[in-house]
């Protein structure tokens, strides 16, 4: 998380700039993303699914970079992550990896820190109508 996209601009105030960093001995990449409060909520739900041993796909909306995580990939006999940016750069990377013990708990802790650092301050009362939270 890099911070608010446009602090003080009512309809953009709760949008965030972020990056996905992918690094291995073979590939290294950086992918810029824009996140909304609903993306953070969806990430929280995705972490719950991962904790239950289910595969997840985060930000599967045909416009955003997509992150798929498999807690266990049978072919590689380990966890696997796929990051796809088909809408912009047309790049996809698949990485079998070993997720450290406590990785999901660490992600939850980081999510709490993000929400504490940048709480939602804008309420969308109807489509296209925004107001500051009181």
């Amino acid at each position: 998380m890099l911070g608010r996209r446009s602090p003080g601009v009512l309809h953009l105030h709760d949008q965030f700039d972020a990056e996905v960093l992918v690094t291995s001995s073979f590939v290294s990449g950086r992918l810029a993303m824009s996140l909304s409060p609903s993306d953070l909520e969806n990430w929280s739900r995705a972490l719950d699914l991962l904790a239950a041993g289910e595969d997840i796909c985060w930000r599967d909306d045909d416009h955003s970079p997509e992150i798929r995580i498999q807690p266990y990939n049978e072919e590689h006999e380990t966890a696997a992550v796929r990051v796809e940016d088909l809408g912009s750069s047309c790049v996809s990377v698949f990485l079998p990896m070993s997720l450290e013990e406590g990785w999901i708990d660490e992600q939850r802790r980081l999510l709490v820190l993000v929400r504490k650092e940048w709480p939602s301050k804008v309420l969308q009362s109807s489509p296209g109508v925004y107001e500051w939270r009181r």
Side-chain angles (χ1 to χ4, degrees):
M1 293 295 290
L2 302 174
R4 292 191 188 275
R5 171 157 289 225
S6 298
V9 177
L10 184 62
H11 69 288
L12 297 174
H13 185 81
D14 283 353
Q15 299 293 312
F16 303 98
D17 288 327
E19 290 181 327
V20 173
L21 303 174
V22 177
T23 305
S24 77
S25 59
F26 180 69
V27 67
S28 179
R30 179 180 303 239
L31 178 63
M33 299 174 72
S34 177
L35 300 176
S36 68
S38 65
D39 290 321
L40 299 179
E41 188 58 39
N42 290 339
W43 179 240
S44 178
R45 283 193 293 278
L47 291 171
D48 292 341
L49 292 171
L50 285 170
E54 296 184 39
D55 296 356
I56 63 106
C57 180
W58 182 56
R59 301 196 72 214
D60 182 15
D61 64 9
D62 295 330
H63 304 291
S64 302
E66 176 179 289
I67 298 172
R68 293 181 182 272
I69 302 174
Q70 295 175 295
Y72 184 78
N73 177 280
E74 289 184 22
E75 180 181 350
H76 297 282
E77 299 180 345
T78 188
V81 176
R82 178 182 300 277
V83 179
E84 293 183 329
D85 183 33
L86 301 179
S88 181
S89 67
C90 296
V91 171
S92 175
V93 64
F94 176 83
L95 296 168
M97 60 179 34
S98 175
L99 297 179
E100 295 177 15
E101 184 73 29
W103 181 85
I104 293 172
D105 291 334
E106 176 65 7
Q107 292 300 305
R108 286 180 174 146
R109 186 187 71 75
L110 292 170
L111 183 57
V112 167
L113 289 176
V114 165
R115 288 177 167 159
K116 183 178 178 182
E117 180 71 23
W118 299 296
S120 177
K121 294 184 177 182
V122 177
L123 176 67
Q124 185 174 3
S125 54
S126 60
V129 178
Y130 302 89
E131 59 186 69
W132 294 107
R133 290 186 189 274
R134 297 173 201 245

